[in-house]
Amino acid sequence: MKILYLCNKDYYLKKMSRVRFHGMRAVGQLCDLTWSGPNWENWDNDKTATENVAQLYEGKAPDLVVAYKPLEIKGYAELDALKCIRYNEMYDVPWTMKEIMQSKSNIIVCHHKNDMEQYQKLLKNFKLFPIHLVNVPHCAEKIVFRDYELPKTHDLLMAGAANGFTLLGRHYPLRDRMLEIVQKMSNKYKVCIHPHPGYDLSDAHTDKYLIEFAKIINSSKIAITCSGAPNSRFGKYVEIPMCATAIAADLPGEEQKEFSNFLIDINMSMTDEEIIKKLEFYLENDEERNKLVKKGLEYAKNYTQEDYAERFMNVMRRN
């Protein structure tokens, strides 16, 4: 299968969120994948997508075109090829619907199952062109997120962005609340609040910030995160257990049975005292915490980027 991945090279170089690129890199190990798009050496910014693709493939179309931010690519909608968009988050419904419709994309990969289910309802009666919604869950890069065998120098780690507001209001309500709770615990336990490095960095493509973050996770006994206002299975639900660290969070809107096997369940319905008591139990009982760590590692083995690539390719072959 010949797949063309279109993405502005500036995004590839500077975007702090690397999961979308790690996934496509793994896909490239299973097919004939070409990276291109605005500002890549093999792309002419003055020409349309159709003209560029004709030049790249000597007049023939690839089997599939996958695009990141397709509306920023000149003439993308007119491209005569099977087109795919992959979404990390889809909570901005008006913008997402606009991007799907105006780009005339046929396969919509939803990394969150609850997003897919929502858009299946929204697009149920749409018939202007074929649209297939599929779920390929978030995975993590095992070279970056792994057990570095570092000493556990932090008891509690706050992992991920906080105090953010979106169309849904406070985007990480539990995470924001936990900032105050871990401060209460800091007189007894070593707490690390890892600052978000920013969303656009000139050297993001080196993965240096992710490796630094993975090592901080690995050096913590418990890492705290949440599913956010969308109740989504964010990448950290894989990245944290993959680093041989216990994860404390609310149950996301999918795979709840699996997560309940190793996740320290804390949620907004609990009091501060209940949350503190549960965290203290696992901090004071290494054996019980390590049981969760081992189960988390077993779970994460099935969600490497190689697994993502296999699932992605299986979906593409069916569609």
Side-chain angles (χ1 to χ4, degrees):
M1 180 180 282
K2 293 181 183 294
I3 298 179
L4 174 62
Y5 181 53
L6 297 180
C7 167
N8 190 313
K9 191 173 183 180
D10 291 342
Y11 292 138
Y12 170 75
L13 293 174
K14 299 176 183 177
K15 272 284 180 185
M16 180 59 198
S17 175
R18 306 307 298 172
V19 64
R20 59 178 58 85
F21 306 122
H22 291 162
M24 289 311 298
R25 185 170 65 193
V27 167
Q29 300 301 310
L30 302 180
C31 68
D32 182 354
L33 179 70
T34 299
W35 293 64
S36 191
N39 299 321
W40 287 84
E41 294 75 7
N42 58 1
W43 188 269
D44 187 334
N45 290 348
D46 294 325
K47 292 182 178 179
T48 66
T50 298
E51 291 170 328
N52 274 289
V53 171
Q55 186 170 329
L56 282 168
Y57 290 91
E58 299 180 350
K60 299 177 182 178
D63 299 301
L64 177 71
V65 179
V66 182
Y68 177 56
K69 296 188 181 293
L71 299 187
E72 297 181 8
I73 299 171
K74 185 177 179 181
Y76 182 83
E78 287 69 50
L79 193 58
D80 185 19
L82 189 65
K83 290 175 282 191
C84 168
I85 309 179
R86 300 153 67 234
Y87 283 106
N88 286 347
E89 292 192 70
M90 304 173 77
Y91 61 84
D92 188 341
V93 174
W95 168 254
T96 304
M97 291 289 281
K98 174 184 175 181
E99 189 171 52
I100 293 170
M101 301 299 184
Q102 291 191 6
S103 67
K104 297 181 180 177
S105 295
N106 312 107
I107 303 176
I108 311 303
V109 175
C110 312
H111 290 148
H112 302 138
K113 188 177 180 182
N114 56 357
D115 283 338
M116 180 189 72
E117 292 168 346
Q118 176 187 10
Y119 280 83
Q120 282 176 332
K121 294 175 183 175
L122 291 171
L123 293 165
K124 181 173 63 175
N125 298 317
F126 183 80
K127 301 186 186 305
L128 291 180
F129 56 87
I131 296 179
H132 301 280
L133 289 115
V134 297
N135 171 233
V136 183
H138 270 304
C139 293
E141 177 52 72
K142 66 183 181 183
I143 297 173
V144 173
F145 295 98
R146 59 186 175 88
D147 185 0
Y148 290 87
E149 300 183 355
L150 297 173
K152 298 289 185 181
T153 54
H154 304 112
D155 294 311
L156 295 168
L157 167 69
M158 284 297 304
N163 295 317
F165 287 83
T166 63
L167 291 173
L168 301 176
R170 189 176 287 277
H171 202 68
Y172 304 108
L174 177 60
R175 211 178 294 175
D176 294 348
R177 183 181 165 201
M178 288 304 300
L179 286 170
E180 297 182 9
I181 292 176
V182 297
Q183 291 292 354
K184 293 180 183 179
M185 301 178 70
S186 63
N187 60 347
K188 183 178 180 181
Y189 298 102
K190 292 179 181 178
V191 172
C192 176
I193 300 175
H194 181 61
H196 196 285
Y199 292 95
D200 294 285
L201 300 163
S202 61
D203 54 353
H205 60 281
T206 65
D207 287 342
K208 62 181 285 187
Y209 302 102
L210 285 189
I211 293 170
E212 176 188 345
F213 182 47
K215 288 181 177 179
I216 291 172
I217 295 173
N218 184 229
S219 65
S220 303
K221 292 179 180 178
I222 298 174
I224 300 166
T225 190
C226 77
S227 67
N231 193 216
S232 295
R233 178 192 172 280
F234 292 133
K236 287 179 179 58
Y237 281 79
V238 179
E239 294 164 359
I240 292 169
M242 194 174 278
C243 289
T245 291
I247 177 173
D250 56 327
L251 287 168
E254 57 185 282
E255 293 189 272
Q256 292 191 346
K257 182 178 178 181
E258 290 81 359
F259 281 113
S260 63
N261 286 327
F262 64 88
L263 179 144
I264 301 170
D265 184 9
I266 55 175
N267 56 72
M268 292 296 284
S269 67
M270 298 169 68
T271 66
D272 288 6
E273 290 71 25
E274 287 172 332
I275 291 173
I276 290 171
K277 186 176 180 180
K278 182 172 276 193
L279 292 175
E280 283 185 334
F281 172 81
Y282 285 104
L283 288 173
E284 301 296 338
N285 291 273
D286 292 349
E287 185 177 348
E288 293 301 314
R289 188 182 67 253
N290 288 332
K291 286 179 184 177
L292 300 183
V293 170
K294 288 178 182 178
K295 290 178 181 178
L297 280 167
E298 284 300 312
Y299 171 84
K301 284 180 182 178
N302 296 315
Y303 291 98
T304 67
Q305 293 298 359
E306 288 75 16
D307 296 307
Y308 178 93
E310 290 281 357
R311 294 180 182 116
F312 179 88
M313 291 300 296
N314 288 337
V315 164
M316 295 307 134
R317 293 185 186 106
R318 290 198 299 268
N319 288 280

